[in-house]
Amino acid sequence: MPCRSSFPLLLLLILRSPGSWSYEAPAVKQDVFARRACPAFLTFINAAYLAGVTVELPCHCKPQQVQSVVWFFKKHLSSFEEIRVLTDHHGNKLLDTNQIPHGSDLRSRFFIRLFSLLIFRAGPEDSGIYICGSAQNDFFYAYDVDIQEARTLSLRLTPESTGKRVNERRQKSSGRPWYRVFTSFRPWSVCDRCGVPGEQFRVGLCYVHSHYLHVRYRRANETVASCGSGAVPRAFSHLKQNKVGAHLEVKSCQVTCPSRPPPPSKLLALMEFLGYRSASMPADVPVFYLKHPAGHVLTIGCPKARPNMAVAWDLGSKPIYRFKQSAGHNVSVTLPRIRIDTGHHLVLTPAITQDTGVYYCWLQGQQAAEIRLLVYPYFGRGQSLTSHPDFPAAVRTILTSYAAMTVVFCMLILGRVAVRVVRDTSEAHVD
């Protein structure tokens, strides 16, 4: 009876509550392209990046009636070469938000997503003019992209100096310099690991200051542009001949891990019921499975990583450091087989079967992903089983195993015969 009488009262309270009768529809967001008009005269936004990173070029403006965009590429604005149409690794040029393909490799490094162009592991050869337009050859937005290769990777052991290395070239008639070249360093990243020794890095890109830059290239400062930009006059072409590039500096660090919030009590009770202790509970890290043929270059990226984020890699419990592989050396010299490139990717050149294992990825000082890699033997055309480098070791292992089994089998037979002989002898002696 008490339960029956309480049910109508509860129902009455629910019906009298304002939230049960009122409903507020979500506000309709205004289209971002409706708030920004395209320029009447096409200009080029100067953007400089470090080689190896993933570059994202958003198309900031387009007419509302245009439902899909096409990205065009031209190496130099003043050249007579034709404009190329960029496609992704599925050959698509026109993509809407519901037709986004996915690929598991980096054979095609161009990807169109939500009107933006993504370039995976951009290199110096990708520098040039990128234009967002339509299939009817209408141009909406453009970029002047300069991809600079890091020629030096240095380990900083001394305090930072405030001076800048500036190269100047003055006019013959006056003391006013034509241009000044300087390196603009970004702030130091956070420590890429916590609880164990880690690393911090910063990127320095090459820029030129001059009053003779091309006016069609837009920048935050009209007198400053990146060294490889199209705004730099041809008279300053010796900038590229001097191979002025980017710099990457690394220094060691060690920070403590922040305290994690305790798990819910229900989860603790469930883990204790299953026989796990609170200290041995698995971390909330996603697990990825990857397989790759041996003898080929393998590039692994950290999920959800951005160019300006601190990324670290571990092989099991063994950290992989940058300064141990090429600190204080030129990046173009011979590099180790397992290394972290300037885009924070883990590169295996090439991958071998011994690389099979568990790899951990750190992102902004926290463990972000666990990647379980399987490297399997691969025999291409013109390759035989005997040409594999592990073939002699495999043959020795098989022959050794057969020899051991043969010895054990013979010993068992001899033991059985000896036992039978001893038994027959004892029976004859009794008789």
Side-chain angles (χ1 to χ4, degrees):
M1 294 298 295
C3 295
R4 294 181 179 178
S5 61
S6 60
F7 179 75
L9 180 61
L10 180 61
L11 181 61
L12 179 61
L13 292 175
I14 293 176
L15 293 177
R16 291 186 61 183
S17 61
S20 61
W21 290 96
S22 62
Y23 172 75
E24 184 178 355
V28 179
K29 295 184 178 180
Q30 186 181 5
D31 188 4
V32 66
F33 298 101
R35 300 195 304 263
R36 186 168 186 175
C38 295
F41 185 73
L42 189 64
T43 57
F44 307 98
I45 307 300
N46 180 228
Y49 299 92
L50 183 67
V53 302
T54 299
V55 176
E56 182 176 0
L57 303 178
C59 187
H60 285 298
C61 71
K62 69 174 185 62
Q64 292 184 345
Q65 64 272 16
V66 176
Q67 300 299 325
S68 56
V69 298
V70 179
W71 281 91
F72 304 90
F73 173 75
K74 192 173 184 180
K75 190 64 176 176
H76 302 286
L77 183 63
S78 59
S79 62
F80 295 98
E81 62 182 1
E82 296 182 356
I83 297 179
R84 292 186 297 170
V85 179
L86 298 179
T87 60
D88 57 14
H89 47 290
H90 285 267
N92 298 323
K93 292 180 296 184
L94 304 177
L95 291 177
D96 56 21
T97 57
N98 298 323
Q99 298 176 349
I100 303 174
H102 175 74
S104 60
D105 55 14
L106 296 176
R107 288 178 297 179
S108 179
R109 297 177 296 104
F110 296 100
F111 191 82
I112 303 174
R113 181 174 61 187
L114 299 178
F115 310 115
S116 299
L117 177 67
L118 277 74
I119 309 174
F120 296 98
R121 300 193 68 198
E125 65 278 1
D126 297 321
S127 299
I129 303 297
Y130 291 85
I131 304 174
C132 173
S134 66
Q136 290 73 29
N137 292 332
D138 297 324
F139 300 148
F140 309 136
Y141 207 78
Y143 290 90
D144 170 35
V145 178
D146 178 21
I147 307 298
Q148 301 182 11
E149 186 176 4
R151 304 187 182 278
T152 57
L153 180 99
S154 57
L155 174 64
R156 178 171 289 277
L157 300 174
T158 58
E160 301 180 19
S161 60
T162 57
K164 295 182 179 180
R165 188 181 66 179
V166 180
N167 298 328
E168 296 185 357
R169 186 176 180 87
R170 298 181 178 273
Q171 301 181 15
K172 295 181 180 180
S173 58
S174 65
R176 185 180 180 181
W178 284 345
Y179 67 87
R180 286 189 293 180
V181 180
F182 63 95
T183 301
S184 176
F185 283 94
R186 296 175 181 174
W188 285 99
S189 68
V190 299
C191 195
D192 57 7
R193 293 178 178 87
C194 69
V196 295
E199 293 176 329
Q200 291 179 272
F201 70 92
R202 69 172 183 173
V203 177
L205 298 177
C206 176
Y207 287 89
V208 57
H209 177 274
S210 177
H211 294 276
Y212 305 99
L213 301 179
H214 202 291
V215 296
R216 196 173 181 182
Y217 295 81
R218 295 174 56 190
R219 302 161 298 278
N221 189 343
E222 296 299 329
T223 60
V224 175
S226 60
C227 293
S229 171
V232 180
R234 292 185 177 181
F236 304 161
S237 60
H238 53 274
L239 285 176
K240 298 182 179 180
Q241 296 177 1
N242 295 334
K243 297 182 179 180
V244 180
H247 299 274
L248 183 62
E249 293 186 351
V250 181
K251 67 178 182 179
S252 58
C253 62
Q254 186 169 1
V255 297
T256 57
C257 293
S259 58
R260 293 187 302 175
S265 58
K266 294 183 179 180
L267 180 59
L268 285 176
L270 177 60
M271 298 303 293
E272 291 180 358
F273 175 77
L274 296 176
Y276 292 95
R277 297 180 180 178
S278 59
S280 61
M281 291 182 59
D284 188 14
V285 175
V287 180
F288 299 89
Y289 296 89
L290 179 64
K291 60 181 181 178
H292 189 77
H296 295 73
V297 177
L298 173 61
T299 303
I300 308 176
C302 187
K304 299 182 180 180
R306 294 288 182 177
N308 296 331
M309 290 185 176
V311 181
W313 291 92
D314 294 344
L315 173 54
S317 59
K318 181 181 178 182
I320 302 174
Y321 293 109
R322 294 178 178 86
F323 67 84
K324 286 187 177 180
Q325 62 188 21
S326 57
H329 297 280
N330 195 308
V331 177
S332 61
V333 300
T334 304
L335 296 173
R337 192 181 60 83
I338 301 179
R339 62 182 178 88
I340 303 175
D341 65 359
T342 54
H344 313 307
H345 302 92
L346 184 64
V347 183
L348 287 72
T349 52
I352 58 178
T353 54
Q354 288 79 6
D355 294 330
T356 300
V358 180
Y359 295 82
Y360 294 96
C361 166
W362 296 72
L363 192 60
Q364 293 292 96
Q366 299 293 328
Q367 215 170 64
E370 175 184 340
I371 301 175
R372 301 185 179 183
L373 174 64
L374 171 63
V375 181
Y376 57 89
Y378 174 77
F379 303 100
R381 293 184 177 180
Q383 295 182 356
S384 61
L385 181 63
T386 57
S387 63
H388 196 272
D390 295 334
F391 178 75
V395 172
R396 287 194 298 267
T397 302
I398 294 175
L399 294 179
T400 304
S401 301
Y402 273 106
M405 288 188 294
T406 302
V407 171
V408 171
F409 179 76
C410 294
M411 291 180 64
L412 291 176
I413 296 297
L414 292 177
R416 183 179 180 181
V417 171
V419 170
R420 181 173 297 180
V421 170
V422 171
R423 184 183 300 173
D424 294 342
T425 305
S426 59
E427 291 178 356
H429 180 71
V430 171
D431 294 340

